[in-house]
Amino acid sequence: MNWQARMIAADDDFNGAPLLRGEFALEQGHGAVTGATLSLSAQGVVEAWLNGSPVSDDLLTPGWSSYEWRLRYATYDVTNLIDSTSVLGLALGNGWFRGRLGWSGRGAFYGDELGAFAQLEVTFEDGSTQVVVTDDSWTSGPSAVLANDLYDGETIDARLRDDAWLRPGFASDAWTGVHALDFDTEKLKPYVGPRVTRWNELAVKEITTSPSGKTLVDFGQNLVGWIRVAVQGPEGSDVSIKHAEVLEHGELGTRPLRTALATDRYILSGGDDVFEPTFTFHGFRYAEITGWPGELKPEDLTAVAIGSDLECIGTFRTSDPLLNQFHENVVWGMRGNFVDVPTDCPQRDERLGWTGDIAAFAPTAAFLYNVDSFLSDWLLDLDLEQQHHDGIVGFVIPDVLKYADRDRPTEFGPVDSTAIWSDAAVWVPWTLYQAYGDRDVLKQQFTSMATHVRRVKSLLSPAGVWDGNFQFGDWLDPDAPPEDPANAKADKGVVATACAYHSARIVGETAALLGLTAEQAEFEQIAGDLREAFNREYVNAGVVKSDCTTVYSLAIVFGLLDGADEIFAGNRLAELAAEAGYRISTGFAGTPFIADALTQTGHLDDAYKLLLEKECPSWLYPVTMGATTVWERWDSMLPDGTINPGEMTSFNHYALGAVADWMHRVVGGIAPLTPGYSEVLIAPQPGGGLTEAETALETPHGRIAVSWTVSGDQFTVEVDIPAGVTGVLRLHGEDDQPLEAGHVSATASLPAPVGADT
């Protein structure tokens, strides 16, 4: 791109929300305008208007990337907005660039000055081009936004609204100049992933009064976005809206927000005002309203859900309403945390791109929505951060923690590669390849994948296992104390070494796919050595060190055990699950894999019992407590309705919803035999008393759909396969049946219950 624009900043900061304008006349003598393209970016977040019309519905442009090396720009066709004399107007907010990030209480990690960058290229009938750019001829002025922060909210004074700045000839004494910033245009890169947009709206479900007399609004769904407000009241009136995910003792439950204020304030003009705080977002189901003039009516408020613009491709439903609600919770949790970056949570003073969360959840995400470009974009930043950190994949991407902890030691000890979290460098691109069949992501990320495993190899002990540096381990094991979520039952060296083996094996397979013979041999050797060391150091007659559900789950699913050891491990895993009353006993490391480990070793009934358990801790316990998203902790809310006493508690964390991947493949019955589903395995395995299920997936080759019903001891399956796809239908007690495009109906007998007389 031939950049002629400059990154410009307002001479006055104007409360962190300046307006910038450039006015221009079309060059004459070139004929009619045949095209006009606007390229737009910012240090901060930016919204653009051309001749008073918004350029797009995009939000929070240019999103959050590793700004030190990559700043995205958006491109828009604005041909229909051009006039003979035009005004290009830009509004800036703090966003991720200058707003608060993390729990340190600090912000402005990437820079002190907000900046706008715009280049408008107008093409005429004769082929000539006029270029309009941000430069020091622009002017800047105040907006109606008095404060804005992603964590704390936005304040808007409707008395200051005036659209005159978007029209030709505007002038005001309140306006001043701009100055160019020192900015390297080599950092500018086009969007790879989707933009952030509004994707849903929810009406008020209920308005109530709390025990202390506060006005509370319930939207019936935990979501991410803001509340659009339509209000009329006396000029200067101040309306405040504070957001939270839950109620506690009938009041707004704000303690889990930590220091995030999550409050929007609106100062009324005296006329009919409509407010949307587009320079912030909140995670909330409930809102506390203060200062409302007169009677608050449901139609005055609308919850607006925002997130990256993703295409829904996977669906799932069963005969169990609680299981269906859990799956819906997984979907809403994903959408709320896929706001430009795959974050851990969307509400408190954090909202960071934790690598461990997406490493666990990527297979589920890739089935529910087309996340190929979304996660490919994020992986570019992972690679950049890794390149600038000695091959280490940080805990979060973009890695703002390197700044947040600059003046004090990190609470996690010296930062280095850590299992699952850093393994995202390998697991996420591999997941995208399996889901969509495109090797480009493997080519793009191979150096990053290989660098991660080589870094891990350098961290192994003389015994060949990974047991030295800090590990999150089986984070949030339900038996860990609330104040020490890393204090899990599973030995951290066992977890880390198992994950290292899994990553090395994947990188070896990736090298083979890419025709990299030397690298294939290198990583196959690393994987082989890790497997040998794991069994030598951690396995004794099938017993895996620390003898808990997570270590057996990882050892089984990752293929670390042979023959009799795997049989023993499967039986022991089922025994431990039963001893726990089928309540969850795994954290971040074990939860994505335990149902597969049970199923793979012949304990499908135990997997279903685990899935459908309702007592805490379990996947369905939050559903029985009214949850509409997946929680961070199994007991984020205690059975008595009080919030978990730990300082780290969120009601919208998708990681523990990773079991939905097993639900799609085993309950629903759709799994790829080859990457991208050009060959598919249809193998639903009913259980748990379910009498029916429906699952569908829009693959790169078309829609695959499976539905099944149970009647007595008979199991009937209906399958639809798109043209160009082949597959295998595998049902209990029947020979594998080849599948071609079209519709197939088949019936089989259900397996006898475990322990039944035969």
Side-chain angles (χ1 to χ4, degrees):
M1 189 79 172
N2 179 23
W3 296 118
Q4 300 176 42
R6 302 291 302 276
M7 182 73 74
I8 61 172
D11 286 345
D12 184 318
D13 190 56
F14 294 114
N15 299 312
L19 303 176
L20 301 97
R21 73 186 299 275
E23 185 172 328
F24 65 96
L26 286 181
E27 295 174 355
Q28 300 299 304
H30 301 295
V33 171
T34 58
T37 301
L38 174 67
S39 297
L40 181 67
S41 191
Q43 291 184 171
V45 291
V46 62
E47 296 174 355
W49 293 262
L50 188 55
N51 292 322
S53 295
V55 164
S56 80
D57 293 327
D58 293 352
L59 302 166
L60 302 171
T61 303
W64 187 14
S65 56
S66 294
Y67 295 134
E68 304 95 332
W69 312 288
R70 190 171 78 104
L71 179 65
R72 289 173 294 195
Y73 67 89
T75 303
Y76 304 105
D77 182 346
V78 294
T79 308
N80 294 334
L81 301 180
I82 293 290
D83 209 338
S84 57
T85 299
S86 295
V87 175
L88 178 58
L90 307 176
L92 288 175
N94 290 311
W96 296 274
F97 185 86
R98 202 175 67 172
R100 285 212 290 147
L101 289 174
W103 53 90
S104 70
R106 295 165 50 206
F109 294 116
Y110 297 103
D112 295 325
E113 284 194 284
L114 301 179
F117 185 96
Q119 184 158 311
L120 174 63
E121 300 187 9
V122 182
T123 304
F124 295 97
E125 200 171 26
D126 66 357
S128 60
T129 301
Q130 179 180 354
V131 181
V132 178
V133 300
T134 45
D135 58 24
D136 57 14
S137 70
W138 280 49
T139 56
S140 63
S143 69
V145 177
L146 303 184
N148 71 99
D149 185 84
L150 296 179
Y151 293 177
D152 294 332
E154 188 168 345
T155 299
I156 302 174
D157 188 341
R159 297 172 300 180
L160 303 178
R161 285 175 168 165
D162 184 355
D163 291 339
W165 70 287
L166 293 172
R167 296 192 293 272
F170 169 79
S172 169
D173 291 340
W175 280 59
T176 186
V178 303
H179 55 277
L181 297 174
D182 182 15
F183 175 77
D184 181 3
T185 56
E186 289 296 315
K187 294 180 183 179
L188 290 171
K189 304 296 179 184
Y191 266 80
V192 173
R195 321 286 174 76
V196 176
T197 62
R198 300 167 180 83
W199 71 274
N200 206 343
E201 294 188 357
L202 287 81
V204 171
K205 180 181 179 183
E206 188 178 25
I207 300 175
T208 58
T209 302
S210 76
S212 67
K214 302 290 179 56
T215 299
L216 299 178
V217 177
D218 177 10
F219 289 95
Q221 171 65 53
N222 197 16
L223 70 139
V224 174
W226 53 70
I227 298 172
R228 184 169 62 236
V229 175
V231 58
Q232 200 283 327
E235 181 180 353
S237 299
D238 192 322
V239 174
S240 178
I241 302 180
K242 190 170 186 66
H243 306 74
E245 297 181 296
V246 295
L247 301 181
E248 185 176 34
H249 306 306
E251 304 289 348
L252 202 67
T254 58
R255 182 172 60 82
L257 299 175
R258 299 192 300 214
T259 66
L261 298 179
T263 300
D264 297 324
R265 288 183 54 233
Y266 303 126
I267 301 168
L268 309 189
S269 69
D272 292 326
D273 293 320
V274 176
F275 296 95
E276 273 201 70
T278 57
F279 288 158
T280 189
F281 62 86
H282 312 289
F284 69 100
R285 171 176 171 171
Y286 299 93
E288 180 182 293
I289 315 293
T290 57
W292 192 269
E295 179 189 1
L296 176 64
K297 301 183 293 297
E299 57 267 28
D300 296 331
L301 306 175
T302 303
V304 179
I306 72 164
S308 292
D309 189 12
L310 303 173
E311 175 193 3
C312 179
I313 58 173
T315 58
F316 177 86
R317 187 196 65 81
T318 74
S319 55
D320 187 324
L322 289 181
L323 191 59
N324 295 343
Q325 182 62 55
F326 169 73
H327 191 268
E328 187 72 2
N329 293 359
V330 172
V331 172
W332 275 92
M334 173 185 167
R335 288 308 306 260
N337 279 293
F338 275 39
V339 181
D340 201 67
V341 168
T343 55
D344 58 327
C345 62
Q347 71 299 98
R348 67 182 179 225
D349 55 356
E350 191 164 348
R351 314 186 197 186
L352 305 177
W354 285 93
T355 45
D357 295 61
I358 194 59
F361 189 73
T364 297
F367 186 98
L368 294 172
Y369 287 84
N370 184 343
V371 295
D372 195 7
S373 64
F374 175 84
L375 290 177
S376 293
D377 191 293
W378 180 78
L379 286 167
L380 293 174
D381 290 320
L382 183 149
D383 187 12
L384 285 168
E385 298 280 4
Q386 186 183 16
Q387 289 178 39
H388 291 84
H389 197 187
D390 300 322
I392 297 170
V393 178
F395 304 155
V396 300
I397 302 295
D399 188 7
V400 71
L401 293 184
K402 64 177 180 275
Y403 299 119
D405 290 314
R406 182 171 49 198
D407 301 325
R408 58 181 173 81
T410 172
E411 62 202 76
F412 304 117
V415 175
D416 210 322
S417 296
T418 184
I420 303 173
W421 277 251
S422 299
D423 286 312
V426 175
W427 297 6
V428 173
W430 185 251
T431 293
L432 296 180
Y433 170 62
Q434 295 296 317
Y436 309 119
D438 188 349
R439 294 188 188 183
D440 286 350
V441 69
L442 299 181
K443 295 175 184 175
Q444 169 190 295
Q445 296 299 132
F446 182 76
T447 299
S448 167
M449 298 166 74
T451 299
H452 164 63
V453 174
R454 289 171 181 146
R455 177 78 192 186
V456 170
K457 182 184 178 185
S458 76
L459 298 173
L460 300 180
S461 72
V465 294
W466 190 10
D467 63 355
N469 61 295
F470 167 80
Q471 297 287 346
F472 289 100
D474 197 26
W475 183 255
L476 285 173
D477 177 332
D479 296 318
E483 70 280 2
D484 189 7
N487 187 10
K489 300 182 292 294
D491 181 87
K492 291 179 180 179
V494 175
V495 170
T497 306
C499 292
Y501 166 74
H502 187 52
S503 287
R505 184 183 56 77
I506 289 172
V507 177
E509 290 186 33
T510 301
L513 285 167
L514 300 179
L516 303 172
T517 306
E519 288 85 352
Q520 178 184 351
E522 174 190 356
F523 291 103
E524 287 177 351
Q525 181 68 50
I526 294 173
D529 291 347
L530 281 163
R531 192 176 192 275
E532 191 276 331
F534 182 92
N535 281 274
R536 183 184 65 248
E537 299 295 319
Y538 296 140
V539 183
N540 182 11
V543 177
V544 180
K545 183 179 179 180
S546 60
D547 188 38
C548 63
T549 50
T550 285
V551 296
Y552 289 115
S553 297
L554 296 178
I556 291 166
V557 173
F558 292 168
L560 280 156
L561 306 175
D562 291 319
D565 283 348
E566 182 171 303
I567 293 171
F568 175 90
N571 290 335
R572 180 60 178 152
L573 176 60
E575 183 178 53
L576 289 168
E579 287 176 0
Y582 296 102
R583 290 184 287 275
I584 287 289
S585 55
T586 53
F588 268 42
T591 296
F593 303 108
I594 185 169
D596 270 306
L598 289 167
T599 305
Q600 183 178 319
T601 54
H603 301 282
L604 178 68
D605 286 350
D606 296 285
Y608 266 106
K609 289 176 182 177
L610 195 68
L611 177 70
L612 298 174
E613 176 58 44
K614 301 178 186 65
E615 295 298 317
C616 183
S618 68
W619 281 295
L620 295 188
Y621 163 72
V623 179
T624 69
M625 294 292 290
T628 60
T629 43
V630 175
W631 296 349
E632 178 176 19
R633 295 178 182 267
W634 299 106
D635 59 350
S636 285
M637 179 168 283
L638 305 181
D640 65 359
T642 60
I643 297 170
N644 186 291
E647 291 186 4
M648 184 191 74
T649 300
S650 157
F651 293 88
N652 193 352
H653 249 71
Y654 52 63
L656 298 180
V659 70
D661 174 52
W662 178 86
M663 292 160 59
H664 300 147
R665 291 182 287 103
V666 177
V667 182
I670 300 177
L673 280 175
T674 56
Y677 296 86
S678 58
E679 296 178 70
V680 63
L681 174 65
I682 305 298
Q685 300 182 58
L690 300 181
T691 57
E692 61 181 71
E694 296 177 358
T695 311
L697 177 67
E698 285 287 349
T699 76
H701 311 283
R703 184 174 185 268
I704 297 170
V706 178
S707 64
W708 56 260
T709 57
V710 169
S711 179
D713 62 354
Q714 292 297 299
F715 171 51
T716 301
V717 183
E718 306 288 338
V719 183
D720 290 290
I721 302 292
V725 172
T726 59
V728 171
L729 176 62
R730 181 172 297 160
L731 302 178
H732 173 76
E734 305 289 330
D735 293 336
D736 284 0
Q737 177 182 336
L739 290 174
E740 303 289 343
H743 181 83
V744 172
S745 180
T747 301
S749 297
L750 290 174
V754 174
D757 293 334
T758 55

